[in-house]
Amino acid sequence: MSEELGDKETWKYRFDDFTLDLDRGELRRGDAPVAVEPLAFALLCHLIENAGTLVGKDVLVETVWDGRFITDAAISTVVKSARRALGDDGTRQKYIRTVHGRGFRFVAEVTLRAPAPAAAQAAVPGPEMPQVPSETDPIGAGPTLAIVPFGLIGEPANGQFIADGLPAELITTLTRLRWLKVIARGSSFRFRGPEIDMSQIREALKASYVLTGEVELLGAHLAVSVELVDARSSQVVWAERLSGPLDEVHRLREELVVMIIAALELHIPQHEAQLARLRSPNLLDAWGHYHTGLQHMYRFNKADNALADAYFRRAVDLDPGFARADGALSFTSFRSAFLRYGGDRQTAISAARDYALRGIDLDPLDPFVNYNLGRSYWLEGTPQNGFGWLEQATALSPHFAHGLYARSWAEVMAGDGAASLEHVTRAIELSPIDPFLYAMLSAKGLAHLQIGDLEQAADWAERGARRPGAHYLIKAISAVACQIVGDTSRAVYWKDQSMAARPDASVAKYFAAFPFQDEDLRGKMREALLSLGFPET
């Protein structure tokens, strides 16, 4: 592994004395690595990422075995192997509990440890179940955010302008997020003081979320802490802290704005989806159906993709003007065509374009809808034709991680590795635990391959292939990168992983999914695929 990767602290799940490092693809007990078979490791990843949640056998088959026919005995064998790696067994079930006839649940308490950045020490809370709002709570109306003045610790003469200026700037900036309603400064700044009453803010402003903060100014040192709170339950949804020298206040201000926008894009939809799932189905309206669909959409398997599609269709039925639901239908149609989930691929390609165009008609300034329209051109083999829509997505929301990630893929397929590397690196910085992280890492590998940095290409491609959610095409990219760099043993391993996930994998399917325009790179990839034994068609 390269020095660039080896020196980086990574995101880790921890429980008891175990550490699951997804980036490095390893399980450790204390400091000692634990040997785990690949299928057992993939199963562990999925169960731990969904700790406390019942995971059905059908979901495991779609996620771990990519939807192939698998017997219950085969599943039991892999579960037994995973338990053995943890020192568990079917009698104690200390970590993996069997719910007979339904599936499995990871029952140990899991915490997520984030890497410590140079200018900040992040406090990442462990997973906790949200409280269920009452039936009168306005979940379906879409989220409304109130940003209140930040508290101040330290020197008021120099610090009050920061404590008021930061939230005021955030209000102005966040009004560009068209899916989020932001309360105006004149109303939200009436709530000032050390003791913020969430119920009062909720009642007065009809806010579902409140962003609070605290500025610490001690001598020449500045620190800013922020919390995103669900005003309906007073639950902290997300928290972060930045610190640095006072004379770098403008740099910290910019970092804070970027960090909060990225966090809102990730955490509010996830939280809304959890709330929607905890409510009775007959209480779900368009917004609830949309966010329940998002939870299924980001599980990246055939069964959940179909469920997500059904939820999005219901959202559109309930609210025909809901542009984001049409954008989401474009997403699920893209996924069906891209991974050939069955049916008529050409119909799915047309649907991906048509739903995105309908979303554009409804709301041409929604970044998510523009992003989906831009991606739809990949399916036709002309990724460069989607550049305008992808650029529009990131112009409308410069910190939209998925928009940057999609631009990166389009650019590398069009032959611009340098631009691709810049955009995907930014996407990973903005959303380091994104559901699409496997694809972001893989895109970074392709960008390095495009610019001729072969060792880095193989390293990043392998990181992507190890991540949960990585499908057979991502594993094929790792095989290609390793073969081009000259590491045949690793290349054969990833080729076998790709073919095991999808026995119908082929050179033709690879290039149908990734229409690379650079003939030289395309030729090298084709040669690598054929030399590894991938069939032509």
Side-chain angles (χ1 to χ4, degrees):
M1 183 170 289
S2 69
E3 181 180 350
E4 179 181 353
L5 300 182
D7 288 345
K8 280 193 173 182
E9 183 69 11
T10 55
W11 293 83
K12 305 178 182 71
Y13 289 93
R14 291 186 175 175
F15 53 97
D16 291 348
D17 55 347
F18 287 99
T19 300
L20 182 73
D21 189 328
L22 297 183
D23 287 337
R24 293 192 170 93
E26 66 181 11
L27 175 71
R28 296 192 298 276
R29 187 165 197 168
D31 295 328
V34 178
V36 191
E37 297 170 1
L39 284 175
F41 184 81
L43 181 138
L44 270 177
C45 289
H46 189 78
L47 291 179
I48 290 171
E49 284 199 310
N50 294 277
T53 301
L54 177 66
V55 179
K57 288 184 179 180
D58 56 342
V59 173
L60 284 177
V61 169
E62 288 291 342
T63 304
V64 178
W65 287 273
D66 203 35
R68 289 179 288 127
F69 175 76
I70 298 295
T71 65
D72 285 352
I75 296 173
S76 297
T77 298
V78 175
V79 170
K80 186 181 295 184
S81 177
R83 282 178 171 146
R84 189 184 308 116
L86 299 175
D88 197 5
D89 56 49
T91 302
R92 289 191 304 160
Q93 298 191 16
K94 180 180 179 182
Y95 297 108
I96 301 174
R97 184 164 298 164
T98 300
V99 181
H100 291 290
R102 298 177 63 193
F104 304 91
R105 180 185 287 115
F106 195 86
V107 293
E109 183 177 348
V110 177
T111 58
L112 179 60
R113 180 66 58 85
Q121 296 295 325
V124 180
E128 61 180 85
M129 292 300 292
Q131 299 181 40
V132 186
S134 70
E135 296 181 9
T136 59
D137 283 317
I139 292 180
T144 299
L145 175 70
I147 304 176
V148 298
F150 289 179
L152 176 63
I153 299 174
E155 305 166 18
N158 297 321
Q160 194 59 56
F161 79 93
I162 301 175
D164 282 0
L166 284 175
E169 181 171 350
L170 283 167
I171 290 171
T172 302
T173 304
L174 293 178
T175 55
R176 291 188 298 173
L177 298 180
R178 294 175 62 80
W179 59 273
L180 180 67
K181 298 175 185 176
V182 181
I183 302 296
R185 182 183 189 278
S187 295
S188 62
F189 267 44
R190 292 179 180 272
F191 294 88
R192 181 188 297 274
E195 298 296 329
I196 302 294
D197 188 333
M198 292 296 164
S199 61
Q200 187 179 11
I201 294 177
R202 176 186 162 200
E203 183 177 346
L205 303 179
K206 301 297 185 286
S208 43
Y209 293 91
V210 178
L211 186 74
T212 67
E214 196 168 68
V215 173
E216 298 177 35
L217 186 57
L218 302 174
H221 185 80
L222 172 68
V224 182
S225 303
V226 289
E227 283 188 349
L228 177 67
V229 180
D230 185 335
R232 298 160 293 190
S233 63
S234 296
Q235 178 189 352
V236 176
V237 177
W238 168 79
E240 186 59 280
R241 178 181 172 87
L242 287 178
S243 63
L246 178 59
D247 59 8
E248 295 183 10
V249 62
H250 293 299
R251 177 186 62 80
L252 293 173
R253 173 182 57 83
E254 292 174 1
E255 285 186 15
L256 183 70
V257 170
V258 170
M259 179 183 68
I260 288 174
I261 291 176
L264 295 180
E265 286 275 12
L266 178 65
H267 292 286
I268 286 183
Q270 287 183 347
H271 187 67
E272 289 287 306
Q274 285 181 306
L275 296 181
R277 292 189 68 186
L278 293 172
R279 291 171 69 93
S280 172
N282 63 348
L283 296 175
L284 291 178
D285 57 6
W287 184 254
H289 277 88
Y290 170 73
H291 278 92
T292 303
L294 285 184
Q295 271 205 336
H296 290 286
M297 187 178 87
Y298 287 128
R299 287 177 180 165
F300 301 130
N301 61 72
K302 182 178 179 180
D304 277 294
N305 197 67
L307 284 171
D309 191 87
Y311 276 108
F312 298 145
R313 289 179 189 278
R314 182 58 178 153
V316 170
D317 288 342
L318 290 167
D319 183 358
F322 192 176
R324 281 217 160 186
D326 280 296
L329 282 170
S330 174
F331 187 106
T332 54
S333 298
F334 177 98
R335 194 79 181 172
S336 294
F338 185 74
L339 287 176
R340 301 171 184 263
Y341 279 157
D344 184 347
R345 183 172 184 265
Q346 191 55 50
T347 298
I349 290 174
S350 298
R353 174 69 51 79
D354 292 344
Y355 282 124
L357 286 171
R358 174 179 156 78
I360 289 290
D361 287 341
L362 292 170
D363 189 351
L365 300 182
D366 188 300
F368 179 69
V369 175
N370 279 271
Y371 146 81
N372 279 289
L373 182 53
R375 287 209 315 161
S376 70
Y377 287 91
W378 306 358
L379 300 170
E380 297 177 353
T382 56
Q384 67 277 9
N385 290 347
F387 278 173
W389 301 107
L390 295 172
E391 289 171 356
Q392 173 82 337
T394 51
L396 290 166
S397 182
H399 313 302
F400 180 29
H402 286 183
L404 291 164
Y405 139 81
R407 281 188 70 173
S408 170
W409 271 98
E411 285 158 347
V412 78
M413 287 188 288
D416 191 348
S420 173
L421 187 59
E422 175 187 349
H423 288 128
V424 76
T425 300
R426 185 63 175 147
I428 294 170
E429 289 173 353
L430 287 170
S431 192
I433 54 173
D434 198 275
F436 267 133
L437 187 57
Y438 73 90
M440 293 178 182
L441 297 171
S442 189
K444 193 162 186 176
L446 286 173
H448 279 293
L449 190 63
Q450 180 82 55
I451 64 177
D453 192 348
L454 302 186
E455 290 291 340
Q456 288 283 353
D459 281 339
W460 284 104
E462 281 202 292
R463 283 187 79 176
R466 292 192 194 102
R467 293 288 305 188
H471 48 75
Y472 81 105
L473 291 166
I474 295 294
K475 299 179 195 301
I477 287 173
S478 186
V480 165
C482 290
Q483 182 73 348
I484 290 176
V485 82
D487 193 330
T488 303
S489 62
R490 286 158 69 194
V492 169
Y493 171 80
W494 288 114
K495 175 260 182 181
D496 289 344
Q497 293 293 309
S498 177
M499 295 292 292
R502 281 287 289 269
D504 63 341
S506 68
V507 176
K509 288 185 175 66
Y510 180 90
F511 286 116
F514 307 124
F516 291 95
Q517 306 297 298
D518 183 330
E519 290 299 331
D520 181 56
L521 179 60
R522 189 182 178 95
K524 290 177 181 177
M525 287 182 164
R526 178 182 175 79
E527 182 180 348
L529 289 165
L530 290 173
S531 65
L532 286 169
F534 282 94
E536 183 72 54
T537 58

